[in-house]
Amino acid sequence: MKNFKRIFVIITVLCLASAFTLNVAAWDYTVKSGDSFWRISRRFGIDFEKLILANPQVKNPNLIYPNQVIFVPDNESAEYNGTTARAVLEQSNIHRTKNGLASLSLSTELCAVAQAKADDMAAKGYFSHTSPGYGTPAQMLKSFGVSYGYMGENIAKGYPTAAAVVDAWMTSTGHRANILGVNFSKLGVGYNSAGNIWVQIFTD
């Protein structure tokens, strides 16, 4: 890989297959500049009132500050699940280990972005790295307040399991380059059963 920052945006159209439904895990979120409870609730698809009630330590919900840590509760309507994300992580790391590379770690922040992308594709009926609402993968990460030096995105449609979708990505040169990217250390995973859509997001 060349020694300068670049964006990997790789796309492939894959066959239709069966699906399964999942749930999202709760997590801590570090407030970014310009954030508000409303923006955070919209960004992660969390009910606004539920988000406020989950953070009683915040005395004035109208005032939150950069670097403050708040609790983001479960999104019961989401189809992302920590178990499924870990399965994709495990399958990806098997290939990295075989190639003498350090394992990726699962990022809850990137999982939230990847899930939003999968849900967006399902809701709006498109299959592309560029979202009508979020823009390019780089623009989407910026809108979610994610900082990075290197990033990449893999998307797929139609595979029923984590093993199947990772195996398919590994047969494609571009997708394989992302999974085996030497500059990547973090992974986010999203899945939506409407069309069986998978998303991987990588950063350093």
Side-chain angles (χ1 to χ4, degrees):
M1 183 176 290
K2 296 180 180 179
N3 294 321
F4 58 85
K5 296 179 181 179
R6 61 180 179 177
I7 296 172
F8 293 98
V9 284
I10 310 299
I11 187 169
T12 189
V13 178
L14 307 170
C15 67
L16 294 176
S18 62
F20 51 92
T21 301
L22 309 156
N23 263 328
V24 72
W27 54 290
D28 290 336
Y29 172 76
T30 301
V31 175
K32 306 291 193 301
S33 178
D35 273 344
S36 66
F37 270 119
W38 175 255
R39 288 184 178 181
I40 293 168
S41 72
R42 296 306 91 195
R43 182 180 303 160
F44 297 118
I46 305 298
D47 180 78
F48 178 62
E49 295 296 332
K50 185 176 181 180
L51 181 62
I52 291 176
L53 290 173
N55 291 276
Q57 79 283 6
V58 180
K59 303 306 180 185
N60 184 349
N62 294 316
L63 294 175
I64 56 174
Y65 304 96
N67 298 318
Q68 185 175 0
V69 176
I70 65 171
F71 182 73
V72 178
D74 292 351
N75 180 352
E76 296 172 355
S77 66
E79 292 183 276
Y80 157 80
N81 181 293
T83 301
T84 299
R86 284 192 295 274
V88 173
L89 175 73
E90 179 181 353
Q91 292 297 317
S92 300
N93 281 337
I94 287 172
H95 293 289
R96 289 179 67 89
T97 299
K98 287 179 180 178
N99 285 273
L101 299 169
S103 294
L104 300 168
S105 62
L106 197 65
S107 163
T108 52
E109 188 174 46
L110 292 180
C111 281
V113 181
Q115 185 59 45
K117 180 63 175 288
D119 292 343
D120 189 56
M121 285 194 283
K124 296 178 181 175
Y126 71 95
F127 184 66
S128 171
H129 288 285
T130 301
S131 161
Y134 292 115
T136 66
Q139 290 170 329
M140 186 171 184
L141 284 173
K142 183 178 180 181
S143 73
F144 275 72
V146 178
S147 299
Y148 63 90
Y150 298 85
M151 67 82 61
E153 179 184 80
N154 285 344
I155 60 176
K157 185 176 181 181
Y159 286 86
T161 66
V165 73
V166 172
D167 284 347
W169 278 326
M170 287 299 294
T171 65
S172 162
T173 302
H175 295 85
R176 178 186 175 91
N178 278 342
I179 292 173
L180 302 182
V182 297
N183 289 317
F184 296 145
S185 63
K186 298 176 184 178
L187 175 66
V189 179
Y191 171 80
N192 188 292
S193 62
N196 221 3
I197 296 167
W198 298 82
V199 178
Q200 281 185 314
I201 296 179
F202 307 82
T203 67
D204 50 353

